[in-house]
Amino acid sequence: MLRKKILWLGGICILLTGLSMFGGMSFIAPDAIFKWGSPDAEVFWRARMPRVVAAFLAGAGLSMAGMVFQAMFRNPLASPFTLGASSGASFGAALFFGLGAAGGGGLLASLGGMGAAFAGSLVSMLLVYLITRARGGFSTPVMLLAGVIINFFFSSLVMFIQYLSASYDALRIMHWLMGSLTGLDLLRLPDLCFVVLACALFLRRLASEIDLLLVGEELAASRGVEVKSVKLQLFGVSSLLVAAIVSVAGPIGFVGLMVPHFCRLWLGSAVTHRSLSVAVFLGGGCFLALCDLVARSVLAPAELPIGIVTALIGAPFFLWILFRCNKGGSAF
Amino acid sequence: MNKSVKPILLLNNFGFAFEGEKVLQGLNFSLNKGDFLYVVGPNGAGKSTLLKALLRLHERGEPTGEIVLKGRILAEYSRVELARLLSYVPQAEGWIPPFTVSAFVELSRFSYRKGGNSESSQTSREVVARALRATSMDKLAARPLWALSGGERQRAYVAAALAQEAEIMLLDEPTAFLDPRHAAELNQLLSRLNKTEGLTLICITHELNQAFAAENKILVLGEGSQLYFGETAGLLDGEILNRAFKYEFTIFRHPRHGCPVVLV
């Protein structure tokens, strides 16, 4: 029964993702893509497909990270972004666009915008980790609070840089902050592919540990889980995943929050993470690929930043979760 | 007593302190396989601290003395090894995990899949089915935990601990939130597991009369110290209980079993 549902979900997701490659600014007929050398084939293989693959990977990765954070913090509203990852990345990117690129040369310029974002998100998550550890143990509420504080801190820094920078740079920072796959660097695609797949497989291997952590840390420990080390691994790998994605696509919000809940709704909320992780990976990928299709189509020939699309869907969804939580006591 | 029987659990002048403040001290007792120990004492006497120390759940704090489990110092065991010797039934109140009963019980097989061991899913299913039958939860196996009554959920937690196939089961006030009938049923289940499966049980409780049933051993804690350890008959004169709880109980001798009965 469950296996059937996952197969269905997987099939639909892959089909929709594949179909989304044909839509966009202009429709590309399926038979045109094999006419080598034709403009349609060029656009399809060199622009559309890599971009959809990137969107799929980004969505899949962010959703996996969201799933892990929600289980680890036993909080249905936890997501990569409540934990400071995006704000750090934004800070890195803002520094680059606002100061680094303008100044020319130096370490920051050589890192590039993506490198700076990657470094930024790693720094912010490291800070969250260090603050949590300094308070002793590896306690969940402290970590969540630390994430919120780091978020505020870096967001203020980003605003500060924006305030100081020239209007063109400020615009670039703003555009980046919205999250976008427009200027995707094709050379980064293999890296992204490798990081997302490796991290996703690693997280899936820890499915039982995630289940037990969701039950409770004390019970997990009594069942044989090395709680501290597992939490550290989960946090580290998810952070790496988020950092890699954010550095390519910008801080695309709400995906990591929504997709795990969608999948729980589809599979029945009493599902274990062995099955859930597969559904979340495929569902997340498909969801972002479709959001990207919307972003490419609605204002054609202009493009909407994908972050706006996810946020427009995500904010009402966020509220819905909140109300469901209040009524039922738990959204899991 | 047979001298050749090695205790399964031995506490040797065990104590525990948080930031220099002693919450447990001078605990000396041992249990043999198949013993049923009830730990009683007023709130704040250190019962839960003891239980967590036995399960090595304290993230902070300084233990003193030693705990020996099956001839080996407790701290030397890996988590996975420990999980095969000690199972834990927490209070099934508050957060309800989003799993079905069978998936929840299945999670207890964790230690048989990790640490170099890989149990077949066939074996795992069999153990889970047995645990569910033993706790009469087999008919509710497909239900989510949140769709159960408090008594059923507590039984599901016992089933999960049972599926761990550990020799000692530790329970934290398993009947605290149950009505008298469900409490009695759970207690019958525990004593059946104790007698038929030879399971060693350590159970924290505030239900003194339940704890005083004849064949059990009792540990009375008061302000972090061990006030009494032994057969329940030793508590008949009431002096120890009154000292532990700082309260004058009326204590009778049970007409049939000879154990103490407490009137509050």
Side-chain angles (χ1 to χ4, degrees), chain A residues 103-138:
Chain A
L107 179 69
L108 205 60
S110 68
L111 264 177
M114 285 166 188
F118 187 71
S121 63
L122 281 187
V123 165
S124 69
M125 285 184 271
L126 195 69
L127 277 176
V128 171
Y129 169 68
L130 288 177
I131 292 172
T132 315
R133 235 192 44 177
R135 283 282 276 110
F138 202 57

Side-chain angles (χ1 to χ4, degrees), chain A residues 74 135 137-138 205 208-209 211-212 214-215 217-219 221-226 264 269-272 330 332, chain B residues 52 57 59-60 79-80 83 86 88 90 95 97-100 103-104 107-108 110-111 113-114 146 160-161 164:
Chain A
R74 285 209 234 159
R135 283 282 276 110
F138 202 57
R205 272 177 59 90
S208 305
E209 281 90 338
D211 283 337
L212 279 163
L214 179 56
V215 169
E217 286 177 21
E218 289 194 344
L219 202 93
S222 80
R223 299 291 193 253
V225 178
E226 295 281 358
R264 280 181 186 282
S269 50
V271 66
T272 57
S330 158
F332 277 110
Chain B
K52 286 188 181 177
L57 293 180
E59 284 193 1
R60 275 177 272 186
R79 273 267 164 239
V80 167
L86 300 175
Y88 175 43
W95 163 250
F99 296 115
T100 59
F104 177 65
L107 287 178
S108 295
F110 180 82
S111 62
R113 276 184 268 118
K114 297 281 160 158
W146 69 78
Q164 221 168 316

